[in-house]
Structure formats: structure tokens, C-alpha cells
């Protein structure tokens, strides 16, 4: 299992390359909650999400042999761009398997901006896995799993490690949970730093596999994947389940409306762009399930990559009409 | 005329109350331009715009007599909220005259959040002026003009003053120009700090009264007020015209599309919410009218107050459809 020292070691590896992201606060938010809330803004991370930390920590530890052969990941989201950029920075060949339903803009960013090879496949879990496995069999690529990987988890934990050193005296830390990589790394960093600090994982009610897994004591699966928090649709792995059982004090579920309201608050009042998954942890803070009065609270904002086409098209049309 | 020492004095007055706003940078932006660009983020200022600086600097210097009678401003935008919040903090009564076409959300924010009295009037310049003047005649209120006021200008200049102390060795500073309060304060702060630093004012082509005023040597007026940069529609005053003539090295005009492109870059790549007026100065940097290669460039991002209703309604509908 990943240990606190692994996160400290990961931090030494990534700190010259990933952004030390800022902490943002809001008077209005603090007055509203009667608490002190510190957002750890991984939306300002390179590629716009915390995923850069885990990907870079993993790729920078590959053997010479593995580097020569290259890496592979399947993702249409932040992990794809994180692996592609990390590979580019380390001069490693990266192949990204993406479903053929991916927005062209994401395909282009991964291929053109970060120089990865993009391989399209059918939009099913089976197709993704078999396409990836075929390429691994053929070329000997190293798979970089988005969360079921100790180095990815240790890298993800460096965000909380920074947070703990940026803000003194935190009472609790909230982070989102999807596959569980970020909350695993976060919880190890927090409990290693000070076991008295509470760690809360926040999950959309619509995809509450982690909540149900803790309730039942075994890994549960999501039956639907309908949530605006599109970074949190995946199920836990054995690896992340074990860490979460041990370290996370409670899993809180939030409705789609709560996620949207938190996101809107962050955009309108704090003027920063966060994606729905990134706003989930603040939705948990605001959901009144944990007493927060007079507490100092760290909140991991996981990313800010959201499709703004519709919004900018509205303004574009306004300009055209004159 | 406002002098450099007035800005230094204003800074002592406002610094405990207004936010010291952060500087944001982007690797992508620097690579794209082959320059070093530093955004001074007044979208993170209290009330979401630089206007807080001028309003607070003005209200904090009123005499005891003036404070007792109260202040008045006519504005439907950032200046209204800045005067209302400054008055609230200083325990002064504020009256804001707003056109009856103002969005209800702005009326509510000014009245409920900041506790100002809101007086509605017809949406014409004449109605605004006469309504305001009637109230001044009746109650003895002090008018806080949004830019034609030395204390407002000196307060606005404190943003550039901070910027110059946050980033060493700037070669040039870009700021937007509407009525000219911000660029006046900015140019006095910059030239007072170091007269070799260039100051560029950026103006929407659609409302290029400042550009034409400098060309003709007399104050020109806008014939239309059609620009997405709704904070920059006003004309210069004699006061700001004189300062701009003396201190601003060049006025650059940008198209609506250039403003939108700059705004989109800031949202998508830097993950911060800026309003069109706030993105105008970056549009000027990117417009290729000034050689910027290898330069260190300060860019005043004036504010981030933009109506996000349409955007969030799109997502809300997505949730409803499930």
C-alpha cells in the first residue's frame, strides 16, 4: 500500500515540473458557512487538473527499457492529456486510446498540443480494454492506469501535501471520489501529516458506488453513469477501496443540483472555472452533512476542464447580430 | 491633476480593505507570444472588479458632514456595487440610481448584499442625470462619479502600483480604456514608478472615442454603444483626456472578435472568469500592434462580472433531462 513517505518522495519528483497551485478563499463563502474554507485549485494545474501529478510521478520512474517502448493510457479526459504531456516532457512515446465519440477538440489537444498518438476505438469498456491490450501485446507499452496504480496515487497525494504546507491548522479536508485515486492519495497525505485531521470523500449520489462499497464492505458497481461530474463515473478498484476503508472518515453523497450550485458559486463569486467534478468537494462542504462551524477546511478542487463551446457560441452570435 | 504621490497615499488608505489581487501567468501564453505576460487579476477584487479601489479611496476621504448626508452614484455595473460596498464598510448611506432595464440580479445584489438604496429611472442618460441631481438637491448627497474624480482615479491606480511591486522589470503595461479612470490611474502609477515603462490603452474599435480623441486633439464622442465590452462604452472626460494625452504611449483598438478570442483564451486555458471589458487589454497584447517579443508585460484584467445565467441554464436543462 502507498505510504506517506511515498507521497513525500513523489513530491520531490514532481515539484519542479507540476505547478504549485494556489489556494483561493472567499469572504462571502466564509461568512456564509461561518468557517474558514481554503480551495486547493488544481484547475490551475498543468493540463487543467490534478491528473498531471500522478502521470508525471509514474512516467518519471519508468526504467530505461520501458521508456524506450513507450506508454499507453485509455481515457478521453484529463488523464489522457496528463499522460500525453508527461510523456512529451520526458521524451517518451505515448499512445492514447480514445472512444470514437470523443469531442474532436480533445482528440486534437492530445495529439497536436501534446504530441501523443491517438488510437480511436468503439465507445464501450470492452473495446477500450481490448484495443489497449492489443497494442500492449504488440509494442510492449507500459499501461498507465488512471487510478489503480501506486505511483499515480502517490502523485495525486502531492496536491494535499502542498495544501497542508500552504495552510496551517486545517481541521478537515474534502476531496471528490470517482475511481478513488485522488482521495486515496489525499487521505494518505493528510493522515500521514496529522491523523487528527478528518478526511471526507464526496461522491455524486447518481454514481455512489464508493458510498455503497463502504456500507456493504465489498466493491459495488455503478449501474448508470449519469452525472454531470463526468470525472467521477468510474468504480473503485481493490487498491483504492482498501485505502479508503482505512483512511477516509466518511463518504458524503451530493445531488446533481448541489454539484451545480457549488460550481455556480465558484464561478460567479470566486471567478474561477471549475468542472462539475471539481466542484463536488465544495458541494459536500455545503451539504450540511458534516458540522463545519468555526473549522478550517481544505477543499480539493480537482480540475477545470469543461466544454465552453455552447457558452461562447452564444456570445459569438450576439457579436454577429451586432 | 492626480500625481504619483496621490496613488501612494491612496494605497495606504485602501490596502487594508481591498484585496491585494494575485498575478496569474500561463506557460502556453508565454510560448505563444514569446514574451512574459503577467495578468493583474482585478476580477479577484472585492465586488469582482477594480472599481472597489476608487470607490473606497473616495468614500474614506469624505468629511464628517458629507458622511452624515450620504453618497450617490448612477451605474448599473461594477461602480454601483463598489460604491455600495464601500459605503457599507464605512457606515455611510449610499443611494444608487439604476436604469429600469437593469437585470434584477444586479438590483438585488446592490440592495440586499450591500445594503444600498436603489432608485430606478428611465434608461436614458438624461433621466439618470436628472434623477441623480434631484436627489443631490434634496438630500445633499455627495456624487461619486465613476471616473471623472481625482480620488477615484488615484484609487484605480493602486492596482498598477501593486502590479509594479509584484513583478520586477516590466517593460510595458496594457490596460483597457472606457471613461479613462483606470488607464489614467494606471499610467500615473507606471510613469511615476519608472517613466521608461510603456503604457498602452486598449479600446474596442466599436467605441473608439479615446483613440479618435487623441488623433483629433479634442474629446470625441461615441456614436453607437455596441460592444460586448460593456464596461468601456463611456466617453473620456476632460480630466482623463489630459492625463491620457500626457502619459499613455499609444491607444490600440481591437475588434469584437479579438476581445472574445482573448476572453476565451483566459477562460479555457487559464481557468479564470473575466468579463469582456476585462479581456480587452489582453486582446491588445495579442493584436500584433506592439512588438512584444522577449518583453515583460503587465496586463490589467479589470473585472470578472459577467451574466452566467445562459450558461448555467444549459447545464440545468441537461440535469433535468437526466
Amino acid at each position: 500500500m502507498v505510504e506517506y513517505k511515498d507521497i513525500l518522495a513523489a513530491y520531490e519528483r514532481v515539484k519542479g515540473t507540476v505547478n504549485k497551485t494556489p489556494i483561493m478563499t472567499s469572504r462571502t463563502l466564509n461568512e456564509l458557512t461561518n468557517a474558514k474554507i481554503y480551495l486547493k485549485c488544481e484547475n490551475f494545474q498543468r493540463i487543467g487538473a490534478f491528473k498531471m501529478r500522478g502521470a508525471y510521478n509514474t512516467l518519471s520512474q519508468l526504467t530505461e527499457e520501458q521508456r524506450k517502448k513507450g506508454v499507453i493510457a485509455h481515457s478521453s479526459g484529463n488523464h489522457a492529456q496528463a499522460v500525453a504531456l508527461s510523456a512529451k516532457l520526458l521524451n517518451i512515446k505515448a499512445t492514447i486510446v480514445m472512444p470514437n465519440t470523443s469531442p474532436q477538440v480533445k482528440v486534437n489537444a492530445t495529439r497536436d498540443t501534446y504530441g501523443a498518438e491517438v488510437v480511436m476505438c468503439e465507445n464501450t469498456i470492452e473495446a477500450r480494454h481490448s484495443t489497449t491490450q492489443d497494442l500492449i501485446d504488440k509494442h510492449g507499452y507500459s499501461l498507465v492506469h488512471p487510478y489503480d496504480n501506486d505511483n499515480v496515487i502517490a502523485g495525486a497525494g502531492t496536491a494535499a501535501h502542498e495544501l497542508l504546507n500552504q495552510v496551517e491548522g486545517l481541521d478537515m479536508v474534502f476531496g471528490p471520489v470517482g475511481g478513488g485515486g485522488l482521495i486515496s492519495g489525499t487521505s494518505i497525505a493528510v493522515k500521514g501529516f496529522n491523523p487528527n485531521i478528518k478526511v471526507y470523500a464526496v461522491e455524486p449520489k447518481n454514481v455512489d458506488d464508493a458510498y455503497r462499497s463502504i456500507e456493504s464492505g465489498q466493491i459495488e458497481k455503478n449501474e448508470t453513469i449519469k452525472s454531470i461530474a463526468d470525472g467521477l463515473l468510474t468504480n473503485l478498484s481493490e487498491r483504492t477501496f482498501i485505502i479508503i476503508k482505512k483512511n477516509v472518515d466518511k463518504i458524503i453523497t451530493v445531488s446533481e443540483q448541489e454539484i451545480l450550485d457549488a460550481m455556480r458559486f465558484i464561478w460567479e463569486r470566486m471567478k474561477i472555472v471549475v468542472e462539475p467534478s471539481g466542484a463536488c468537494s465544495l458541494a459536500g462542504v455545503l451539504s450540511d452533512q458534516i458540522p463545519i462551524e468555526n473549522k478550517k477546511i481544505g477543499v480539493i478542487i480537482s480540475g477545470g476542464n469543461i466544454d465552453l463551446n455552447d457558452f461562447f457560441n452564444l456570445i459569438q452570435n450576439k457579436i454577429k447580430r451586432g
Side-chain angles (χ1 to χ4, degrees), chain A:
Chain A
M1 199 175 112
V2 180
E3 295 176 38
Y4 183 48
K5 68 174 170 49
D6 299 320
I7 291 172
L8 301 181
Y11 191 60
E12 293 306 310
R13 247 172 249 124
V14 305
K15 72 179 183 188
T17 303
V18 307
N19 292 340
K20 180 172 178 177
T21 53
I23 305 293
M24 305 282 283
T25 61
S26 156
R27 278 173 227 258
T28 310
L29 185 57
N30 289 346
E31 284 166 16
L32 193 75
T33 54
N34 206 9
K36 289 194 172 161
I37 297 179
Y38 302 87
L39 304 193
K40 174 63 173 167
C41 289
E42 288 293 300
N43 52 330
F44 297 138
Q45 187 50 266
R46 295 181 81 165
I47 72 101
F50 78 97
K51 292 280 186 186
M52 188 63 196
R53 297 176 181 270
Y56 192 81
N57 186 47
T58 304
L59 267 62
S60 63
Q61 292 181 77
L62 294 180
T63 63
E64 199 48 48
E65 178 72 13
Q66 289 171 316
R67 284 184 185 230
K68 266 188 210 153
K69 289 186 172 162
V71 296
I72 190 166
H74 56 84
S75 160
S76 58
N78 296 332
H79 182 61
Q81 293 182 52
V83 170
L85 177 56
S86 298
K88 185 183 177 189
L89 295 171
L90 292 162
N91 204 20
I92 297 172
K93 183 187 174 200
T95 303
I96 309 292
V97 176
M98 289 182 142
N100 53 22
T101 51
S102 306
Q104 195 59 37
V105 61
K106 289 210 176 182
V107 176
N108 291 349
T110 307
R111 190 167 49 202
D112 304 336
T113 312
Y114 303 123
E117 184 183 351
V118 175
V119 175
M120 309 301 283
C121 70
E122 293 295 312
N123 185 28
T124 65
I125 293 178
E126 295 71 33
R128 283 203 203 191
H129 281 281
S130 67
T131 306
T132 306
Q133 194 55 52
D134 288 351
L135 289 162
I136 292 173
D137 292 344
K138 191 165 170 193
H139 301 287
Y141 296 151
S142 296
L143 176 68
V144 188
H145 193 279
Y147 55 90
D148 192 30
N149 175 317
D150 283 348
N151 293 332
V152 168
I153 291 171
T158 62
H161 173 69
E162 274 180 6
L163 165 66
L164 293 158
N165 287 284
Q166 285 167 303
V167 184
E168 265 181 74
L170 288 175
D171 297 298
M172 49 185 77
V173 174
F174 286 70
V177 58
L182 177 59
I183 199 70
S184 290
T186 300
S187 68
I188 293 163
V190 171
K191 298 296 183 182
F193 183 85
N194 177 351
N196 296 322
I197 302 175
K198 300 288 185 191
V199 176
Y200 299 113
V202 187
E203 190 174 37
K205 268 197 183 74
N206 282 6
V207 286
D208 65 346
D209 62 298
Y211 176 80
R212 287 183 288 107
S213 300
I214 293 293
E215 289 287 298
S216 73
Q218 62 186 35
I219 295 181
E220 305 287 344
K221 305 244 178 255
N222 290 314
E223 317 234 313
T224 66
I225 49 161
K226 281 190 181 162
S227 172
I228 53 167
D230 57 3
L232 305 177
L233 307 179
T234 42
N235 301 301
L236 299 185
S237 71
E238 194 63 43
R239 190 189 313 262
T240 55
F241 182 48
I242 289 170
I243 297 171
I244 289 168
K245 266 199 296 194
K246 182 172 176 230
N247 282 326
V248 171
D249 291 281
K250 195 170 177 181
I251 298 186
I252 294 163
T253 61
V254 290
S255 70
E256 297 295 295
Q257 190 63 50
E258 285 175 311
I259 296 168
L260 186 60
D261 290 346
M263 181 173 144
R264 186 163 187 161
F265 182 93
I266 295 172
W267 285 55
E268 287 192 336
R269 306 304 292 257
M270 300 185 71
K271 312 297 179 193
I272 64 177
V273 174
V274 299
E275 56 188 80
S277 311
C280 218
S281 43
L282 183 64
V285 174
L286 299 176
S287 72
D288 261 346
Q289 297 177 63
I290 302 290
I292 57 169
E293 206 167 284
N294 298 320
K295 301 295 186 195
K296 285 182 86 166
I297 304 163
V299 178
I300 312 272
I301 300 296
S302 54
N305 292 326
I306 183 167
D307 187 342
L308 294 169
N309 271 327
D310 289 342
F311 178 68
F312 280 98
N313 285 342
L314 289 173
I315 308 180
Q316 189 78 57
N317 290 335
K318 211 178 284 178
I319 291 180
K320 276 191 195 140
R321 286 196 308 269

